[in-house]
Amino acid sequence: DAKTTQPPSMDCAEGRAANLPCNHSTISGNEYVYWYRQIHSQGPQYIIHGLKNNETNEMASLIITEDRKSSTLILPHATLRDTAVYYCIVRGLNTGTASKLTFGTGTRLQVML
Amino acid sequence: DAMVIQNPRYQVTQFGKPVTLSCSQTLNHNVMYWYQQKSSQAPKLLFHYYDKDFNNEADTPDNFQSRRPNTSFCFLDIRSPGLGDAAMYLCATSRERGWGTDTQYFGPGTRLTVL
């Protein structure tokens, strides 16, 4: 699976959009971009994933560049409860074996009043 | 609600004393994973069960073993815990259907302290 690069930390004011970048310049054509987050002392939580089209769900939006070498996770109206470590993970297509997650160092997002 | 349950949430053991952590799921997922997360580090996969097939990661120490008696339960056994094994242990599940990509659902973790 391709390696990802994320900033170690970011701050965001409550109510504002949080834009978390991720670089994955070695991503291959059949690899997906996944985002998970981990609130302190809890297990990781799935947020969203995509292949090449932009995706949106009730938690966030995922914007993937046309060349797929980078992506941005957008939390449209960050709240204090969004304070967490956010992991961007590139994962290959499952071909009959388990699709394992390789976590990088992630971005620690601090949402402030 | 369907979920991944880990018991206990906190476990204290003595150096060298075997310890077992448990995970159960009500999602009926066919794959179960165990991750180790040390303080201020990212989760690291130890092994997983795909149905009944055990798959060990190459760098997982022999001290760590796992059992999956049925679809719902999976256990992590640490045969002789060392101080370096103190960590959060996370269980996760996914439903792999032989194609596509499936989301992993994580339990709350068990924090292991080794005295």
Side-chain angles (χ1 to χ4, degrees):
Chain A
D1 292 337
K3 183 179 168 58
T4 62
T5 304
Q6 299 177 253
S9 64
M10 292 182 64
D11 293 335
C12 178
E14 189 176 32
R16 303 297 294 270
N19 298 291
L20 291 93
C22 179
N23 286 322
H24 30 79
S25 58
T26 61
I27 193 169
S28 61
N30 65 351
E31 289 182 318
Y32 287 72
V33 180
Y34 273 73
W35 284 83
Y36 280 76
R37 73 179 181 184
Q38 189 173 23
I39 295 169
H40 183 62
S41 294
Q42 296 183 23
Q45 176 190 23
Y46 166 80
I47 301 173
I48 198 167
H49 75 280
L51 182 63
K52 52 184 176 182
N53 297 321
N54 297 337
E55 302 287 345
T56 295
N57 63 19
E58 64 278 4
M59 288 183 69
S61 295
L62 174 60
I63 308 298
I64 303 174
T65 58
E66 192 169 343
D67 63 7
R68 302 208 325 120
K69 293 184 177 182
S70 65
S71 60
T72 301
L73 178 74
I74 301 172
L75 308 178
H77 306 286
T79 71
L80 296 177
R81 286 181 291 184
D82 293 321
T83 293
V85 177
Y86 287 77
Y87 294 100
C88 169
I89 301 167
V90 170
R91 205 179 90 177
L93 187 68
N94 175 18
T95 56
T97 60
S99 299
K100 299 182 287 187
L101 296 175
T102 302
F103 288 84
T105 52
T107 295
R108 185 172 298 276
L109 176 69
Q110 179 69 53
V111 180
M112 303 172 298
L113 288 171
Chain B
D1 285 343
M3 58 177 55
V4 181
I5 303 160
Q6 291 189 247
N7 285 309
R9 293 293 311 278
Y10 300 90
Q11 175 75 54
V12 180
T13 190
Q14 292 180 334
F15 183 94
K17 185 175 180 180
V19 64
T20 295
L21 309 181
S22 73
C23 176
S24 63
Q25 53 130 339
T26 59
L27 298 162
N28 202 31
H29 285 171
N30 62 326
V31 186
M32 295 185 77
Y33 309 78
W34 280 103
Y35 290 82
Q36 179 193 61
Q37 185 174 26
K38 294 187 177 180
S39 181
S40 301
Q41 296 184 19
K44 181 177 179 295
L45 183 65
L46 294 173
F47 29 57
H48 72 275
Y49 272 95
Y50 191 114
D51 295 325
K52 296 181 180 179
D53 295 330
F54 178 71
N55 298 269
N56 201 25
E57 293 301 297
D59 55 356
T60 298
D62 293 340
N63 198 27
F64 292 86
Q65 305 284 319
S66 186
R67 295 170 285 134
R68 189 179 186 186
N70 54 51
T71 300
S72 301
F73 285 86
C74 194
F75 300 99
L76 169 62
D77 300 309
I78 308 177
R79 293 192 297 187
S80 181
L83 298 179
D85 296 328
M88 174 80 85
Y89 289 88
L90 296 159
C91 175
T93 72
S94 68
R95 180 167 55 203
E96 305 288 337
R97 291 163 285 193
W99 56 272
T101 58
D102 289 291
T103 302
Q104 286 189 25
Y105 295 86
F106 284 80
T110 294
R111 184 168 297 282
L112 178 69
T113 300
V114 181
L115 301 178

